[in-house]
């Protein structure tokens, strides 16, 4: 080597041109060196000398000779390589290819280094491919594009991915990774996109095909839960593989989406509807929360398919709700059970949404809508809820702590929020509250107030102002009662000092609740005829009250009161039994009649008391029950048939207790479902009125009437402000204003509009029937 | 209170007409009015007088709609079922009438077919108002059905007229018809020829018409 260096040593004389012979000699040296590099003998070469040779060639305008020569040299080596590779058996092709590739890269780096000067000057001027890139380009053309190399390699790549997917262990992933890296680099170096064209496209197609076949096959033979587990695993595997093979993001993204489409989106409907194990089916099962969650998780990868799950949830809630309503219709008498059912349902679906849907907002919204949907099919829910609250406040919350009360009431409010007929609820609630307050049945004042303040928070001041008025009346009545006692004592003292004596012994005590007319449920029942002693007491109170408040009018609600009677039973004068009977005012009137007569007919009793017929029958029947047989009924059976039915005082009545409260029988057992009777029932049995209305789910007459006024008032208010308005805008505005209380139907509003047109508050435009204007 | 726009339209028409043609024999016209006027209140012609007028003109007041058209054209406006002297005299000026003969000559021009859509609308509204009783705002259902058949015949499709009358008669919840329902029906006939495009949820028509469409849908199903 040292002597050859001497022989070809050139003096530095730039101005002397290099002739062709010298040039080709120089090139030969370089060519030989390249061969050596290829043969892995580079260590024997002198970099400095070779660099100079290349430098001289380029300097003396022989760049083209050099470039062409190098191209040809590389090409011939690559052709050899390609020939070799084409004969390598399939088993080791990828490995050999990968080795060849890495060797080629090293070679090219060395060659590039020698020819660095050419890269910097000649190539830039001539705009030709830099040496290194040239090497890659040639590699692609000669080696990769070789028919016996490319086709086989691709097939091998696909095969190995396929066998990995099939669960077989494959050869070293690093070989795959390297070959893919090679394709990527080849593609990038000359913009030929070999990676995309030769690998990515068939790879994605194969993936799609593979998962399409697999998912269909798997789904047809396994449960949805298994399928979800499998699909989840598949998605993870693919992600792992993509990382291991260093797939570029541009491949990984479509790969993921293909798999998601094939595994999830394509089967979304089936997975939801599948018998026994589908999402819809699992919703019925309380133990499947985590299975549901798994399915949600995998569905969430394809956002559009989650709608299927939400839809299934909505369907399920509506179906459950419908079942509750049907149950309620069948038994027709147990509104609290219905509400309990709804509360349970809500707890359950709340859990599902919270856990399985991961508290997703849209699922929660769907849930709310579904509840609203089935609860508002008629006004039943509103009345049932009120009956339920009544029960809570009378019995359910007895002895409950403040926290428990708040908790229970919060649950109620959640259901209340779903209601659109809030006014129906209010109407029933008012009736129940009246009963609780007047009969002192409430478990606690705090609970009552808590409920009202909850309602106030939901619906605003107006909604509860009457309820608050009722509480206020009760408070004032208590004060009034105290001052009445003082007044009475003073009166009594005066009478005694005046020497008058009261003829009928001690006057009876009365307790009066003074109720403001508009606040309480209106009861237009005329007062019955009261026994003289009671009437006297009432007159005294009236006198006292009107002295304090001139200009007021007291009207007595005999249907709402109660009384305590001291009664003596027994035929043997030596063995008399005395009881204190807690009865209604009506019953008191009835029973006192028997002080003067042994037997009376229904007709006679009515004549003497003027109690409305249906109420009279109910209160009488309650006095003839097997448990509390104060009176003996002449006729057989439960009901009272005619005015001539007789009632006789029963002296043989016994009871273990000294104080006996006579419960009232329910309305329905006396006269079946007469609507008016139900509405008038003031002091009546717990929830009788509501139960009757709850059963048919209609909006009560009274509420319906209030609604008419409210809608008309809203229309006039709006039209007065706007002067002229289109039908749709008017309807939207009316609905908006009233939404706190109820949701009017378009027909309902239209009827009100027509009525207002009739009464000349509004006018329909002559030109456009959809346009109304306000008539001042 | 009723139809201020139509009455003002008539007033302007009178002015333009009277400027075109000569004055009428007012005394003769007044004589005609006096003959027909009510015995108790000679300032108005009541239904009896109208019946007499029909006799003179050989019209059947029960079935011939032209008498209604005549009253409308004369300008009966103030109260139902009568025409005041002032209205009558103004009408005679407008229509150039001063003898029964001239009234009779006018008859052929009174066919409702000559009225354009706006004129007819105004006349249609008049029919409702004229047939009211005293202070009643609404018309009895039977009366309405009879009027429809007389007034709307050939004005709207026969099928619509028949089915709507049939529907109204069978509807138990309606015993009387309001002016709004009356006028809306005519507009409805003009605007909604094809019931299949009717959208009840968006409609602003009176509920009566919604129910009619429902009724027709039911009928179609059967």
């Amino acid at each position: 080597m040292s002597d050859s260096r001497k022989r070809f040593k050139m003096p530095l004389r730039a101005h002397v041109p290099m002739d062709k012979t010298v040039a080709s000699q120089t090139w030969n040296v370089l060519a030989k060196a390249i061969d050596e590099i290829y043969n892995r003998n580079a260590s024997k070469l002198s970099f400095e000398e070779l660099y100079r040779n290349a430098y001289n060639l380029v300097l003396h305008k022989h760049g083209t000779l050099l470039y062409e020569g190098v191209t040809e040299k590389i090409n011939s080596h690559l052709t050899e390589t390609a020939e070799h590779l084409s004969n390598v058996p399939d088993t080791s092709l990828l490995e050999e290819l990968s080795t060849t590739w890495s060797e080629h890269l090293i070679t090219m780096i060395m060659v590039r280094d020698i020819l660095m000067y050419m890269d910097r000057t000649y190539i830039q001027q001539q705009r030709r491919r830099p040496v290194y890139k040239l090497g890659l380009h040639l590699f692609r053309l000669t080696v990769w594009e070789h028919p016996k190399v490319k086709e086989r390699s691709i097939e091998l790549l696909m095969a190995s991915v396929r066998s990995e997917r099939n669960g077989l262990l494959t050869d070293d992933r690093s070989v795959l990774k390297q070959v893919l890296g090679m394709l990527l680099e080849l593609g990038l170096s000359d913009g030929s996109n070999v990676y995309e064209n030769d690998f990515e496209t068939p790879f994605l197609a194969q993936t799609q095909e593979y998962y399409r076949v697999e998912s269909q096959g798997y789904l047809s033979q396994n449960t949805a839960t298994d399928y979800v587990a499998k699909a989840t695993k598949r998605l993870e595997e693919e992600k792992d593989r993509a990382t291991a093979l260093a797939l570029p993001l541009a491949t990984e993204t479509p790969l993921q989406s293909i798999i998601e489409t094939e595994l999830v989106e394509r089967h979304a409907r089936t997975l939801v509807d599948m018998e026994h194990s589908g999402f819809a089916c699992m919703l019925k099962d309380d133990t499947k929360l985590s299975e549901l969650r798994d399915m949600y998780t995998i569905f969430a990868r394809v956002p559009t398919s989650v709608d299927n799950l939400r839809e299934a949830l909505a369907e399920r809630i509506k179906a459950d709700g419908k079942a509750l309503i049907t149950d309620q219709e069948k038994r027709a008498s147990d509104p609290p059970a219905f509400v309990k059912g709804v509360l349970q349902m809500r707890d359950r679906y709340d859990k599902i949404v919270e856990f399985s849907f991961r508290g997703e907002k849209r699922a929660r919204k769907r849930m709310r809508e579904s509840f609203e949907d089935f609860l508002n099919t008629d006004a039943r829910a509103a009345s049932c809820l009120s009956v339920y609250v009544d029960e809570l406040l009378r019995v359910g919350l007895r002895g409950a702590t403040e926290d428990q009360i708040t908790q229970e009431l919060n649950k109620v409010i959640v259901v209340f929020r779903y209601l659109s007929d809030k006014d129906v609820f209010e109407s029933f609630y008012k009736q129940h509250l009246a009963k609780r307050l007047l009969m002192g049945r409430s478990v606690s004042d705090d609970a009552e107030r808590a409920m009202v303040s909850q309602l106030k928070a939901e619906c605003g001041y107006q909604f509860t102002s009457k309820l608050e008025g009722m509480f206020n009346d009760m408070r004032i009545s208590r004060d009034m009662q105290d001052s009445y006692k003082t007044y009475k004592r003073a009166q009594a003292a005066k009478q005694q000092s005046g020497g008058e004596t009261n003829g009928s012994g001690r006057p009876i005590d009365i307790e009066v609740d003074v109720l403001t007319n508009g606040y309480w449920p209106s009861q237009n029942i005329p007062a019955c005829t009261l026994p003289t002693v009671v009437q006297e007491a009432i007159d005294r109170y009236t006198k006292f009250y009107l002295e304090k408040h001139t200009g007021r009018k007291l009207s007595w609600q005999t249907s709402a009161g109660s009384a305590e009677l001291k009664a003596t039973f027994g035929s043997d004068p030596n063995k008399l039994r005395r009881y204190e009977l807690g009865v209604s005012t009506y019953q008191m009137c009835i029973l006192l009649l028997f002080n003067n007569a042994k037997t009376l007919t229904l007709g006679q009793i009515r004549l003497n008391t003027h109690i409305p017929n249906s109420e009279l029958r109910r209160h009488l029947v309650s006095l003839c029950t097997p448990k509390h047989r104060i009176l003996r009924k002449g006729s057989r059976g439960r009901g009272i048939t005619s005015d001539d039915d007789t009632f006789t005082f029963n002296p043989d009545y016994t009871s273990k207790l000294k104080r006996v409260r006579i419960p009232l029988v329910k309305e329905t057992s006396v006269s079946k479902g007469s609507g008016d009777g139900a509405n008038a029932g003031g002091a009546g049995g717990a929830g009788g009125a509501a139960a009757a209305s709850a059963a048919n789910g209609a909006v009560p007459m009274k509420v319906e009437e209030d609604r008419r006024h409210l809608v008309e008032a809203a229309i006039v208010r709006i039209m007065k402000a706007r002067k002229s308005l289109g039908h749709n805008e008017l309807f939207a505005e009316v609905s908006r204003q009233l939404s706190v209380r109820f949701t009017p139907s378009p027909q309902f509003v239209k009827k009100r509009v027509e009525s207002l047109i009739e009464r000349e508050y509004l006018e329909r435009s002559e030109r456009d029937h959809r346009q109304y204007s306000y008539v001042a | 209170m009723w139809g201020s726009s139509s009455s003002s339209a008539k007033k302007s028409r009178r002015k333009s007409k009277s400027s075109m043609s000569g004055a009428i024999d007012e005394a003769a016209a007044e004589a005609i009015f006096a003959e027909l006027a009510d015995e108790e209140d000679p300032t108005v012609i009541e239904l009896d007088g109208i019946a007499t007028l029909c006799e003179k003109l050989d019209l059947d007041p029960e079935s011939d709609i032209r008498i209604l058209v005549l009253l409308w054209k004369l300008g009966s406006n103030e109260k139902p079922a009568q025409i005041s002297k002032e209205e009558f005299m103004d009408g005679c000026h407008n229509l150039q009438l001063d003898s029964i003969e001239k009234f009779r000559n006018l008859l052929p021009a009174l066919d409702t077919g000559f009225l354009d859509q706006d004129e007819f609308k105004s006349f249609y509204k008049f029919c409702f108002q004229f047939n009211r009783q005293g202070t009643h705002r609404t018309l009895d259902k039977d009366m309405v059905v009879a009027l429809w058949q007389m007034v709307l015949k050939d004005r709207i499709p026969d099928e619509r007229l028949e089915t709507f009358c049939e529907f109204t008669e069978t509807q138990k919840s309606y015993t009387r018809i309001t002016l709004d329902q009356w006028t809306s029906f005519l507009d409805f006939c003009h605007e909604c020829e094809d019931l299949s495009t009717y959208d009840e949820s968006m409609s602003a028509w009176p509920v009566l018409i919604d129910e009619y469409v429902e009724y027709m849908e039911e009928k179609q199903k059967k």
Side-chain angles (χ1 to χ4, degrees):
Chain A
M1 198 75 203
S2 63
D3 55 349
S4 73
R5 203 200 301 169
K6 237 175 230 166
R7 203 187 303 159
F8 292 107
K9 190 171 175 184
M10 302 280 291
L12 248 179
R13 280 179 305 190
H15 57 276
V16 180
M18 187 192 268
D19 64 26
K20 274 201 175 154
T21 344
V22 180
S24 71
Q25 271 171 4
T26 317
W27 158 244
N28 280 338
V29 174
L30 280 169
K32 226 170 154 195
I34 291 174
D35 286 341
E36 289 301 321
I37 293 175
Y38 261 103
N39 295 331
R40 298 281 157 261
N41 288 328
S43 55
K44 294 179 187 159
L45 302 174
S46 155
F47 171 77
E48 186 266 331
E49 184 194 321
L50 293 172
Y51 181 88
R52 186 153 25 83
N53 284 341
Y55 169 83
N56 282 331
L57 278 175
V58 174
L59 195 67
H60 292 101
K61 312 277 184 232
H62 294 295
T64 314
L65 172 80
L66 179 59
Y67 194 83
E68 303 284 317
V70 168
T71 310
E72 201 185 312
K73 200 79 220 160
I74 298 174
N75 221 351
S76 72
H77 277 285
L78 286 176
T79 316
E80 239 170 74
T81 318
E83 275 313 307
H84 169 69
L85 282 176
S86 69
N87 291 323
V88 167
D90 282 358
T91 42
S92 53
L93 177 64
L94 290 180
E95 218 165 323
E96 292 254 350
L97 180 62
S98 150
T99 329
T100 315
W101 166 249
S102 41
E103 280 171 3
H104 179 67
L105 285 186
I106 296 166
T107 310
M108 285 320 297
I109 289 168
M110 290 176 152
V111 173
R112 181 195 62 192
D113 287 351
I114 301 169
L115 305 178
M116 201 173 291
Y117 187 73
M118 180 170 77
D119 257 355
R120 257 189 261 143
T121 53
Y122 171 79
I123 283 169
Q124 287 202 348
Q125 286 157 12
Q126 304 290 318
R127 296 179 193 282
R128 304 189 77 157
R129 232 180 262 277
V131 177
Y132 185 76
K133 284 197 170 171
L134 176 73
L136 300 195
H137 177 64
L138 293 174
F139 188 90
R140 175 173 77 79
L141 288 181
T142 321
V143 179
W144 177 249
E145 303 283 352
H146 192 285
K148 280 197 167 170
V149 176
K150 183 166 105 175
E151 306 291 318
R152 284 200 297 149
S153 307
I154 294 293
E155 188 37 54
L156 285 168
L157 282 170
M158 297 297 161
S160 77
V161 171
R162 194 160 38 220
S163 64
E164 264 196 29
R165 280 179 182 153
N166 283 335
L168 300 170
L169 282 175
T170 41
D171 329 328
D172 203 358
R173 272 181 175 177
S174 63
V175 176
L176 300 182
K177 181 178 165 187
Q178 233 162 10
V179 174
L180 292 179
M182 170 189 93
L183 289 179
L184 263 176
E185 209 171 336
L186 289 178
L188 283 177
S189 71
D190 59 1
S192 60
N193 293 333
V194 266
Y195 169 79
E196 285 80 2
N197 297 338
D198 293 348
F199 174 75
E200 194 186 69
T201 316
F203 171 68
L204 292 179
Q206 169 184 314
T207 307
Q208 184 169 30
E209 179 63 25
Y210 182 84
Y211 283 116
R212 180 169 299 178
V213 173
E214 185 193 63
S215 63
Q216 250 157 20
Y218 198 81
L219 196 55
S220 65
Q221 284 167 8
N222 292 281
T223 63
T225 318
D226 291 342
Y227 179 87
V228 167
K230 172 109 179 165
T232 314
K233 211 174 115 216
R234 277 302 193 195
L235 284 159
E236 272 163 22
E237 277 173 16
E238 288 297 333
K239 198 155 177 63
D240 277 358
R241 184 170 304 120
T243 322
L245 299 185
L247 293 180
L249 207 61
T251 312
E252 207 185 325
T253 317
L255 175 70
Q256 285 280 338
S257 91
I258 282 175
I259 301 170
E260 281 160 3
T261 315
E262 290 304 324
L263 289 184
V264 182
E265 199 178 1
R266 192 175 286 277
H267 301 294
R269 256 294 19 118
T270 324
L271 286 171
V272 169
D273 295 338
M274 257 171 93
E275 246 180 289
H276 306 309
S277 67
F279 192 81
C281 194
M282 287 198 291
L283 277 174
K284 291 185 216 159
D285 191 339
D286 275 328
T287 61
K288 298 279 192 208
L289 282 183
S290 46
E291 279 87 345
L292 292 173
R293 183 187 169 113
D294 290 344
M295 201 179 287
Y296 171 80
T297 313
I298 195 167
F299 271 54
R301 288 164 168 272
V302 190
T304 49
S305 64
V306 185
D307 259 351
N308 286 309
L309 303 184
R310 295 187 201 112
E311 189 57 42
L313 177 72
E315 293 288 315
R316 192 67 245 148
I317 293 176
K318 284 179 201 167
D320 280 5
K322 215 169 166 196
L324 277 181
I325 290 178
T326 330
D327 268 10
Q328 206 271 327
E329 261 165 9
K330 267 188 224 149
R331 280 180 281 132
S333 59
D334 204 4
F338 172 75
V339 177
K340 269 178 207 147
V342 173
L343 288 174
Q344 264 168 17
M345 240 180 95
R346 211 205 93 87
D347 271 356
R348 180 160 185 272
Y349 286 105
D350 205 37
K351 225 185 276 167
I352 289 178
V353 168
E354 214 44 56
F355 182 80
S356 304
F357 281 82
R358 295 172 186 270
E360 186 200 50
K361 251 195 191 146
R362 288 169 69 183
R364 203 172 289 160
K365 188 165 162 246
R366 269 318 276 272
M367 168 172 141
R368 196 190 70 223
E369 287 166 355
S370 312
F371 269 95
E372 283 171 359
D373 185 83
F374 88 79
L375 283 174
N376 291 319
T377 39
D378 53 32
R380 178 201 325 268
S383 53
C384 287
L385 186 66
S386 173
V387 176
Y388 176 76
V389 177
D390 183 50
E391 204 184 74
L392 276 185
L393 291 172
R394 276 190 299 113
V395 196
L397 292 176
R398 182 161 294 150
T401 64
E402 202 173 316
D403 281 352
Q404 282 168 323
I405 290 173
T406 324
Q407 212 178 357
E408 283 297 319
L409 294 185
N410 276 339
K411 280 191 197 165
V412 169
I413 289 294
V414 168
V415 178
F416 176 74
R417 259 179 224 147
Y418 292 144
L419 297 178
S420 61
D421 296 313
K422 294 194 168 63
D423 54 347
V424 175
F425 175 84
E426 191 227 7
S427 150
F428 282 115
Y429 189 83
K430 216 162 87 174
Q431 280 178 23
H432 291 142
L433 177 64
K435 235 176 277 170
R436 289 197 299 271
L437 291 177
L438 293 180
M439 315 200 42
R441 294 266 188 80
S442 201
V443 284
S444 96
D445 234 28
D446 289 341
E448 289 286 358
R449 280 176 198 284
M451 183 66 202
V452 171
S453 70
Q454 288 265 30
L455 291 176
K456 195 173 179 175
E458 283 301 314
C459 297
Y461 159 76
Q462 280 188 321
F463 193 80
T464 54
S465 63
K466 287 186 179 171
L467 304 180
E468 283 168 348
M470 288 162 76
F471 284 114
N472 225 14
D473 279 350
M474 293 309 285
R475 196 172 46 75
I476 295 174
S477 294
R478 273 195 295 273
D479 295 348
M480 192 59 81
Q481 192 64 41
D482 289 344
S483 53
Y484 180 57
K485 268 184 196 152
T486 330
Y487 167 85
K488 236 173 31 175
R489 236 173 279 134
Q491 287 290 95
K494 222 191 279 171
Q495 274 181 1
Q496 268 178 3
S497 64
E500 284 178 46
T501 45
N502 206 319
S504 56
R506 212 161 62 89
I508 60 162
D509 284 330
I510 59 167
E511 282 183 26
V512 182
D513 291 320
V514 184
L515 316 179
T516 311
N517 209 348
Y519 294 161
W520 299 72
S522 64
Q523 292 173 10
N524 297 321
I525 313 166
C528 68
T529 311
L530 293 164
T532 339
V533 271
V534 181
Q535 191 60 48
E536 279 166 5
I538 278 181
D539 291 343
R540 269 196 299 279
Y541 186 89
T542 312
K543 188 164 163 257
F544 156 76
Y545 187 84
L546 294 181
E547 263 171 29
K548 290 205 153 196
H549 304 279
T550 44
R552 288 195 190 173
K553 187 170 169 267
L554 287 179
S555 58
W556 297 86
Q557 299 288 323
T558 48
S559 60
S562 60
E564 249 172 42
L565 293 182
K566 291 197 171 108
T568 316
F569 295 89
S571 2
D572 183 353
N574 296 321
K575 286 184 187 166
L576 294 179
R577 297 178 303 279
R578 292 175 203 279
Y579 296 115
E580 279 183 22
L581 302 178
V583 294
S584 68
T585 304
Y586 281 159
Q587 285 171 333
M588 170 193 75
C589 297
I590 297 166
L591 288 175
L592 286 182
L593 291 178
F594 287 89
N595 275 341
N596 303 323
K598 263 208 143 93
T599 302
L600 290 166
T601 63
L602 175 67
Q604 285 169 324
I605 297 175
R606 186 166 48 233
L607 206 69
N608 282 308
T609 58
H610 295 104
I611 299 171
N613 195 24
S614 66
E615 286 296 296
L616 176 60
R617 284 163 182 260
R618 186 156 84 101
H619 288 254
L620 263 174
V621 167
S622 307
L623 291 169
C624 305
T625 55
K627 208 172 166 206
H628 302 287
R629 203 184 294 280
I630 314 290
L631 298 178
R632 282 202 184 113
K633 185 152 61 78
S635 66
R636 298 194 162 269
R638 297 189 62 208
I640 301 170
T641 39
S642 77
D643 273 10
D644 297 330
D645 276 8
T646 54
F647 296 87
T648 313
F649 180 68
N650 174 20
D652 301 332
Y653 172 74
T654 56
S655 165
K656 283 178 197 153
L657 300 166
K658 190 106 179 67
R659 298 167 72 100
V660 189
R661 210 177 65 79
I662 313 283
L664 275 179
V665 296
K666 281 193 178 157
E667 220 125 0
T668 40
S669 54
V670 185
S671 57
K672 284 225 157 89
S674 70
D676 301 280
N679 277 340
S693 172
N696 61 30
V699 175
M701 292 268 283
K702 174 107 185 28
V703 178
E704 185 86 13
E705 202 181 299
D706 285 347
R707 284 183 179 188
R708 279 201 287 273
H709 293 309
L710 284 168
V711 170
E712 284 186 3
I715 294 173
V716 169
R717 205 162 46 234
I718 294 162
M719 293 305 293
K720 198 168 180 178
R722 306 283 286 272
K723 299 299 177 227
S724 168
L725 205 60
H727 175 79
N728 292 349
E729 290 83 357
L730 177 63
F731 176 67
E733 186 60 22
V734 169
S735 306
R736 198 187 61 73
Q737 289 197 3
L738 297 174
S739 63
V740 183
R741 295 184 63 86
F742 66 101
T743 316
S745 72
Q747 298 271 306
F748 192 87
V749 175
K750 246 158 69 165
K751 282 203 167 135
R752 284 0 292 154
V753 169
E754 282 180 48
S755 163
L756 288 168
I757 291 178
E758 191 51 31
R759 285 177 284 153
E760 290 173 1
Y761 284 95
L762 301 184
E763 213 172 51
R764 195 189 289 277
S765 152
E766 296 230 351
R767 295 282 144 221
D768 178 6
H769 77 274
R770 306 186 68 84
Q771 196 75 21
Y772 308 118
S773 49
Y774 180 71
V775 180
Chain B
M1 94 192 195
W2 30 296
S4 57
S5 61
S6 61
S7 70
S8 69
K10 242 171 264 160
K11 257 173 212 155
S12 64
R13 204 189 311 145
R14 178 178 70 185
K15 267 174 201 154
S16 63
K17 270 203 174 170
S18 56
S19 63
M20 275 189 331
S21 44
I24 56 160
D25 183 352
E26 279 205 29
E30 262 181 64
I32 296 174
F33 182 85
E35 198 188 334
L36 299 171
D38 194 57
E39 284 170 19
E40 284 169 24
D41 181 0
T43 63
V44 293
I45 300 176
E46 298 255 354
L47 285 182
D48 285 346
I50 292 170
T52 319
L53 179 63
C54 284
E55 241 168 71
K56 287 177 192 270
L57 301 176
D58 299 327
L59 285 178
D60 176 7
E62 297 287 314
S63 65
D64 203 323
I65 192 174
R66 283 180 295 179
I67 184 64
L68 277 173
V69 182
L70 177 63
L71 287 163
W72 171 67
K73 286 210 165 183
L74 279 171
S76 159
N77 192 12
E78 212 170 279
K79 278 183 181 167
Q82 54 165 252
I83 181 165
S84 70
K85 184 166 180 184
E86 196 188 332
E87 288 167 345
F88 186 84
M89 293 309 292
D90 281 353
C92 286
H93 270 288
N94 282 339
L95 301 171
Q96 296 289 307
L97 299 172
D98 49 16
S99 68
I100 291 295
E101 194 55 35
K102 286 189 181 168
F103 269 96
R104 200 172 285 139
N105 290 341
L106 190 66
L107 286 182
L110 294 179
D111 197 287
T112 52
F114 290 114
L115 302 175
D116 69 21
Q117 195 150 318
D118 280 349
E119 283 171 332
F120 185 76
K121 211 168 151 177
S122 158
F123 166 67
Y124 177 75
K125 196 171 168 188
F126 165 80
C127 291
F128 185 91
Q129 301 289 27
F130 187 80
N131 285 291
R132 288 189 303 126
Q133 280 178 327
T135 53
H136 284 261
R137 289 177 200 277
T138 53
L139 287 190
D140 190 69
K141 191 164 84 177
D142 298 336
M143 157 82 97
V144 165
V145 170
L147 271 175
W148 270 334
Q149 273 157 352
M150 198 159 103
V151 178
L152 292 178
K153 187 138 182 50
D154 301 329
R155 202 72 207 191
I156 62 169
D158 283 352
E159 193 240 341
R160 175 63 39 86
L161 180 59
E162 269 164 41
T163 51
F164 202 85
C165 288
E166 180 188 300
F167 159 78
T168 313
E169 275 169 340
T170 51
Q171 241 25 43
K172 293 234 161 54
S173 51
Y174 293 97
T175 54
R176 305 189 71 80
I177 295 297
T178 67
L179 177 63
D180 184 44
Q181 288 164 340
W182 171 269
T183 46
S184 292
F185 175 56
L186 181 64
D187 292 335
F188 165 73
C189 290
H190 290 146
E191 281 178 44
C192 298
E193 278 170 20
D194 181 9
L195 291 189
S196 62
T197 57
Y198 190 88
D199 179 6
E200 193 186 313
S201 61
M202 296 298 291
S203 112
W205 297 110
V207 176
L208 178 75
I209 289 173
D210 287 342
E211 286 169 355
Y212 164 71
V213 176
E214 257 169 52
Y215 170 84
M216 291 304 285
E217 275 166 8
E218 282 296 308
K219 213 173 162 177
Q220 215 97 64
K221 269 183 214 157
K222 279 174 195 166

